[in-house]
Amino acid sequence: MKDFPGTPGTLTALLLRISQCVLAAASIASMATSSSFFNFTAFCYLIASMGLQVIWSFVLALLDAYSLMKKKALHNPVLVSLFVVGDWVTATLSLAAASASAGITVLYFSDLSHCSFGEECQKYQMAVAFAYLSWVTIAISSLIMLWLLAADQAYVSRRTQIKPLILSPIQASSPISTINPTPKSLVQT
């Protein structure tokens, strides 16, 4: 399996995971410091999604840091498969939450002009912006993990190709169970 930037256990992967964690935490902090975010379901969903993202990214950042300290790559196919599924699930949830929150922010505060309190609107907009930035880093990690999984599968399939068995005409015509690899004249008793 090849090492390229962003694969588990590299410095780039660690930086991606830390940026995911920090941006998701910034989105949570920006949203949670507003006084009325709980009135909107999309904003509550954003906090839940970003909370899951913080936990996922933090755990994987710890794994990357441990791997860097031990100087071992995390290229186990089972682990990479788990990373692919986890990254794609959190990426989908994060994009959905950011999009829903952006829709509510635009609808209520721009289209309907319900934003009479300016600082609250800015906090909502900042939370959505941080959520989208977090999603960009998650999407990069997701694509890298998918690429790594595909490269690993191609490597495994090349290594395990079955080579054709060439039999002599006598062996090809007789059943396998009756083939005796050593003639009785060569066997010493």
Side-chain angles (χ1 to χ4, degrees):
M1 197 177 289
K2 293 202 169 220
D3 278 335
F4 48 86
T7 58
T10 61
L11 184 61
T12 310
L14 180 63
L15 294 176
L16 270 172
R17 297 299 178 184
I18 289 173
S19 64
Q20 291 168 14
C21 190
V22 167
L23 289 169
S27 178
I28 291 171
S30 180
M31 186 64 73
T33 56
S34 66
S35 60
S36 60
F37 77 90
F38 52 85
N39 292 331
F40 304 101
T41 306
F43 294 160
C44 294
Y45 176 51
L46 179 73
I47 286 184
S49 174
M50 290 295 114
L52 177 66
Q53 184 58 49
V54 166
I55 293 168
W56 176 254
S57 297
F58 183 71
V59 168
L60 291 184
L62 289 177
L63 276 174
D64 284 333
Y66 178 77
S67 177
L68 281 171
M69 285 183 354
K70 295 291 183 181
K71 294 184 172 63
K72 285 189 162 191
L74 297 172
H75 288 186
N76 184 337
V78 175
L79 272 177
V80 172
S81 298
L82 177 70
F83 295 162
V84 167
V85 171
D87 278 347
W88 281 93
V89 166
T90 56
T92 303
L93 290 174
S94 297
L95 180 61
S99 298
S101 297
I104 295 297
T105 302
V106 169
L107 176 68
Y108 279 116
F109 305 122
S110 294
D111 295 342
L112 299 178
S113 300
H114 280 346
C115 191
S116 57
F117 39 92
E119 191 174 315
E120 292 290 314
C121 295
Q122 289 176 351
K123 287 181 181 179
Y124 295 147
Q125 290 170 346
M126 284 176 41
V128 169
F130 283 131
Y132 273 117
L133 289 174
S134 177
W135 174 77
V136 167
T137 59
I138 298 163
I140 292 168
S141 290
S142 300
L143 291 173
I144 289 171
M145 290 299 123
L146 186 64
W147 186 10
L148 185 63
L149 185 65
D152 182 46
Q153 293 301 322
Y155 176 73
V156 167
S157 68
R158 273 185 283 157
R159 273 188 52 210
T160 60
Q161 283 181 345
I162 299 173
K163 295 184 175 149
L165 181 64
I166 300 173
L167 298 174
S168 68
I170 297 171
Q171 290 175 334
S173 64
S174 64
I176 301 259
S177 61
T178 60
I179 296 176
N180 188 358
T182 56
K184 288 183 181 180
S185 62
L186 296 177
V187 177
Q188 297 178 359
T189 55

